[in-house]
Amino acid sequence: MIYDIVKYGHPVLETPAEQITEFGTEELERLIADMFESMYAAKGVGLAAPQIGIGKRIAVIDISAGQDPNSRLVLINPEIVHTEGRQRDEEGCLSLPGFREPVTRPKRVTVRAQDASGKTFEITGEDLLARALCHETDHLNGKLYISHISALKRDLIRRKVRKLVKAGEWA
Ligand code: NI
């Protein structure tokens, strides 16, 4: 099932998500499949459950955008455990369509998370994967990438979104 993507302004995006405590269930498998389907349909490389209106600590990432099945990543209850270096590049979010801003992130990131069966694993990513690991973990903490840009730029985006809401072009 393809879910609609929740857009900036909805409180679920700015609320810390809840831990997942039940693993190996059909419900969880279905949610993971639906999240991948919704992410590919929206042409994203990452999607966190709050972005489909579900306040749970689960995110999916595929930096190959569906080209390489081996790059499909499911992160449940993820935590960043190590970061190294810095990179600065443009970042966007499916919940803020039409906007992109340069964001400084670590160059190399290690995340500890659980898989669908509840098994704990660690993954280390560089460059785009490091960025995606940070961006999606942020989502589960109720944070959007615009919290990492200047207040001036953030206010500009807020004003533009407000105009789009008024025009009925942001739903
Ligand atoms: Ni996002």
Side-chain angles (χ1 to χ4, degrees):
M1 172 185 164
I2 296 173
Y3 282 87
D4 287 335
I5 306 292
V6 170
K7 294 207 178 96
Y8 173 57
H10 193 298
V12 73
L13 294 175
E14 289 171 278
T15 306
E18 285 174 17
Q19 288 282 118
I20 287 187
T21 53
E22 274 189 72
F23 295 90
T25 64
E26 231 173 83
E27 196 189 341
L28 187 59
E29 291 296 343
R30 169 68 18 220
L31 176 60
I32 292 166
D34 286 347
M35 285 179 68
F36 274 111
E37 207 185 337
S38 303
M39 177 181 78
Y40 293 134
K43 301 197 186 323
V45 295
L47 184 76
Q51 293 183 278
I52 53 167
I54 296 171
K56 298 221 171 122
R57 300 185 77 80
I58 174 166
V60 296
I61 292 174
D62 179 357
I63 58 164
S64 82
Q67 296 306 297
D68 176 10
N70 292 321
S71 78
R72 286 163 69 105
L73 201 55
V74 177
L75 303 170
I76 300 176
N77 303 328
E79 268 182 88
I80 292 171
V81 292
H82 187 73
T83 66
E84 259 177 68
R86 268 156 68 95
Q87 56 166 321
R88 189 164 172 83
D89 207 343
E90 287 220 327
E91 199 164 315
C93 178
L94 293 174
S95 295
L96 273 154
F99 297 97
R100 289 185 78 76
E101 289 293 336
V103 179
T104 301
R105 296 284 194 183
K107 171 90 175 154
R108 201 175 154 92
V109 172
T110 302
V111 163
R112 184 179 300 145
Q114 284 166 281
D115 67 14
S117 69
K119 193 168 158 270
T120 299
F121 66 97
E122 283 191 8
I123 175 142
T124 298
E126 279 186 11
D127 302 321
L128 179 58
L129 182 55
R131 182 172 295 281
L133 290 169
C134 291
H135 182 112
E136 300 313 325
T137 305
D138 268 0
H139 268 302
L140 302 181
N141 293 327
K143 266 175 92 171
L144 296 166
Y145 78 89
I146 55 170
S147 67
H148 298 290
I149 66 175
S150 74
L152 203 74
K153 281 186 178 170
R154 192 162 54 242
D155 283 345
L156 195 66
I157 290 176
R158 279 206 192 111
R159 279 206 297 275
K160 284 182 181 167
V161 167
R162 226 173 282 143
K163 274 188 195 162
L164 290 167
V165 170
K166 270 191 192 160
E169 289 162 19
W170 193 264

